[in-house]
Amino acid sequence: MNSFPQRLTVLGATGSIGRSVAKVLATTPGRFAVEAVAGGRDAKALAEIARALGARFAAIADPAAHRALADHLSGSGIACGAGPEAVIEAAQRDADIVVSAIVGVAGLAPTVAAFGAGRRVALANKECLVAAGHFFMAEAARRGVELLPMDSEHNAIFQALAAAPARAVEKATLTASGGPFRLRTREEVARATPADALKHPNWSMGAKITIDSATLMNKGLELIEAHHLFGLGPERLDAVVHPESVVHGLVAFEDGSVVAGLAMPDMCVPIAHCLAFPDRVATDCRRLDLVALGRLTFEAPDGQRFPALGLARAAMAQGGRAACVLNAANEVAVAAFLSGRIGFYGITDAVAGTLDRVSAGPAPGSVEEALAVDAEARAVTAALLPNFAAKAS
């Protein structure tokens, strides 16, 4: 039995996941004690959440923000540091549970640094598995880490898999909302602006993942994540569009039965599950009322309007370094779209062009190898971006 309070560290504390973690902690007084929090560039926001959660240490990734963070924490008694080394220190401080919620491949090194025997890592960073899945899972097993998926879809699959051994799984299906452009024509999608793409119909998320949801790249990355997390081959993984975002994942077993995970689209649900597992804790998250909802609908993804999902499936099937290249190219292309340098379909055009050039090669066998492949792919994508500038709105 766990002794309370359990010590908790939150990497990515100022993002949408970090804020949802704080909401769950507010409803479970005395169960957790926050050891450390880490954020990217916003010193004021990080200091506010460190104070609110009573953290002992706060780390900000941007070295230039050190003075601002120290000033905002003045008089609190909370120690602080800045730069990548400080984030690693936060990850390695003594804690029972580490929430990995740093956005992008930047979360890989701190998450691996958090690995320790008997420690739980609640994974909300999919890029760890997309960029270095084989290494990441092997290292977690070698270090005796308990990995729990915090993404709503993978958390639903994880809970459904408790119904039978993995060998009995016929197919696991992740759902996608379809994003803001589900009912738009290809021509309308091509003219979409960043403001259009950031209007997600169901979820409140950061900018990068919201754009990934609009392209369906997010679902492609999640399929790759599921491949590594659950040891399922590409042929046993699928994705469907489900605009209500109530069914988050389904597992079909060989006897014909299907177990699904349902909840309102609220990240507090999988967060509470990961933090309390194998127990349950009461939360004030929205409750599902199927009668009030009325209907649940499902559609096949449209590969013509949303080619990102096909690119991700192809990278997963290819194996090796392809998924790492896919992720790096997508991060660069999404940033270019958000800054207005390329149009919406320039994202997948740039990713496809990068994959054509540098996707062949073995899977990364370390953090350093993954980051080297990532840097190579980013450089190739950056060089390709001018080819798509004319497509910007």
Side-chain angles (χ1 to χ4, degrees):
M1 179 177 292
N2 293 324
S3 59
F4 302 116
Q6 289 184 286
R7 295 160 299 172
L8 176 69
T9 286
V10 185
L11 307 178
T14 56
S16 61
I17 296 295
R19 293 192 298 271
S20 293
V21 169
K23 286 176 59 179
V24 172
L25 296 184
T27 65
T28 55
R31 187 171 183 118
F32 302 100
V34 177
E35 175 64 26
V37 292
R41 297 182 178 86
D42 192 336
K44 181 180 179 182
L46 183 62
E48 287 175 351
I49 199 165
R51 286 176 178 270
L53 297 181
R56 297 181 62 189
F57 179 74
I60 194 158
D62 183 1
H66 192 185
R67 175 62 63 85
L69 179 61
D71 288 346
H72 287 302
L73 288 173
S74 179
S76 68
I78 300 171
C80 67
E85 300 83 4
V87 177
I88 295 295
E89 179 185 347
Q92 292 179 328
R93 288 176 73 97
D94 195 13
D96 302 299
I97 305 170
V98 176
V99 174
S100 169
I102 296 173
V103 176
V105 78
L108 175 59
T111 304
V112 173
F115 286 178
R119 176 176 280 187
R120 172 179 301 169
V121 172
L123 192 62
N125 170 297
K126 62 180 61 67
E127 290 83 2
C128 288
L129 288 164
V130 175
H134 293 290
F135 160 75
F136 189 87
M137 294 302 293
E139 186 68 5
R142 186 181 74 83
R143 300 282 295 277
V145 176
E146 180 186 37
L147 279 178
L148 290 183
M150 194 172 268
D151 277 347
S152 63
E153 298 84 357
H154 301 89
N155 187 265
I157 298 296
F158 176 81
Q159 295 194 55
L161 286 172
R167 65 178 181 274
V169 173
E170 192 171 84
K171 183 166 289 187
T173 301
L174 308 180
T175 64
S177 69
F181 305 139
R182 181 175 67 90
L183 300 177
R184 303 277 188 92
T185 66
R186 183 178 171 88
E187 291 72 26
E188 290 172 329
V189 174
R191 296 192 297 270
T193 67
D196 296 328
L198 288 170
K199 295 176 182 175
H200 197 282
N202 299 334
W203 295 96
S204 176
M205 306 178 291
K208 195 268 180 182
I209 190 173
T210 303
I211 300 302
D212 284 346
S213 178
T215 63
L216 292 194
M217 180 63 83
N218 189 51
K219 210 51 48 182
L221 299 178
E222 288 178 353
L223 287 174
I224 298 170
E225 182 182 6
H227 167 60
H228 292 292
L229 267 176
F230 306 123
L232 299 173
E235 74 284 355
R236 291 203 287 168
L237 292 167
D238 201 4
V240 299
V241 173
H242 170 50
E244 294 85 6
S245 296
V246 166
V247 179
H248 301 282
L250 311 92
V251 176
F253 295 99
E254 59 188 359
D255 61 0
S257 61
V258 178
V259 178
L262 285 74
M264 293 299 289
D266 185 338
M267 280 305 300
C268 288
V269 176
I271 288 169
H273 176 262
C274 286
L275 296 185
F277 183 81
D279 298 331
R280 300 278 179 169
V281 292
T283 72
D284 59 3
C285 68
R286 292 179 294 160
R287 270 26 182 193
L288 176 60
D289 184 337
L290 290 173
V291 174
L293 192 64
R295 70 166 57 180
L296 298 174
T297 55
F298 301 89
E299 307 163 4
D302 185 337
Q304 294 299 312
R305 288 184 298 142
F306 304 106
L309 185 57
L311 290 174
R313 282 187 175 280
M316 177 170 57
Q318 179 177 336
R321 72 194 313 223
C324 186
V325 170
L326 171 93
N327 181 71
N330 183 63
E331 288 194 20
V332 172
V334 167
F337 171 69
L338 285 169
S339 64
R341 289 181 288 149
I342 63 174
F344 188 78
Y345 283 123
I347 298 173
T348 45
D349 288 344
V351 172
T354 305
L355 285 167
D356 286 343
R357 288 161 174 79
V358 293
S359 66
S366 65
V367 171
E368 293 75 19
E369 287 182 13
L371 295 180
V373 173
D374 178 86
E376 179 187 356
R378 286 172 184 271
V380 171
T381 307
L384 289 173
L385 290 179
N387 298 326
F388 312 115
K391 299 182 180 181
S393 298

